[in-house]
Amino acid sequence: MKTLVAAIAAGAFALPALAASPAAAATRNIVIVPGEFIDASGWHVVHDILSQKGYHVTVVPAAHATFEGDVALARRVLFQQFGNVVLVGNGIGGAVIGNAGGGAKVKALVYVAALAPEVGESPLQLLRGPDGMPAPIKADFAGYHWADRARFHDDFAADLTPNRANFLAASQTPVGLAFLGTPSSAAVWHAKPSYAVVATEDRILAPDTQRMMYRRARAQIVEIRGSHAVHMSRPEDVARVIERAARDTL
């Protein structure tokens, strides 16, 4: 009987410790919304760097079929987080975070070679240059946009080795016209601290367009020499910007 009582008492003291540890570990959350063509696995190294520093990192498995679908999925992932969040967007994922990040638990936004649309602007408007869509992006008969595999290395990921870029081209996630053509209904950067990485060699989202968006968002801007895949070619530098946002706001 004494043994049973002792075991119950030990369990009573152990349970609060177990219950407290997830909450303590999850107070520094980072949620990442990937951009076009490169799926969530492209954030593997950044994930590992930040995780090893004690951050709880989640990458949203965005489908990019519709804008509303990606925003809803990002919100579901945010709902799962215990504690406050730094919300990161890459490429068209930047449009998602500007609409999904309005909740109180999101303390900062980080744009990595990403769109930061104003209310009423669509991704298509910001991606288009004076000559239309960037040359490496092509639409199929169903309205999905793909990166041209023959040009993927040079125009999308020139600072990655050809074998890595070729695999990314072969495994890419296309983007629906329903996503690209949908105007943003919110611009959370008006109310949240923002941080931004300009990829200075980006051939998909013009660096000058990035600078324009980030300046109007009053973001803390860091310029990194890299392609649109800067989070893969310069993961340590990108992780450093995300960590700065976390240190400042979480």
Side-chain angles (χ1 to χ4, degrees), residues 43-66:
W43 285 87
H44 183 187
V45 178
V46 172
H47 164 277
D48 289 354
I49 293 169
L50 294 170
S51 295
Q52 289 169 10
K53 294 187 175 185
Y55 294 97
H56 179 259
V57 185
T58 307
V59 186
V60 177
H64 302 327
T66 67

Side-chain angles (χ1 to χ4, degrees), residues 1-17:
M1 185 65 179
K2 291 182 179 179
T3 303
L4 178 60
V5 171
I8 292 172
F13 285 106
L15 284 174

Side-chain angles (χ1 to χ4, degrees), residues 64-78:
H64 302 327
T66 67
F67 188 69
E68 296 85 353
D70 275 13
V71 170
L73 180 56
R75 285 174 175 158
R76 286 199 294 273
V77 172
L78 288 169

Side-chain angles (χ1 to χ4, degrees), residues 28-51:
R28 301 196 303 167
N29 299 294
I30 295 168
V31 173
I32 301 169
V33 181
E36 60 281 9
F37 311 130
I38 298 178
D39 66 15
S41 65
W43 285 87
H44 183 187
V45 178
V46 172
H47 164 277
D48 289 354
I49 293 169
L50 294 170
S51 295

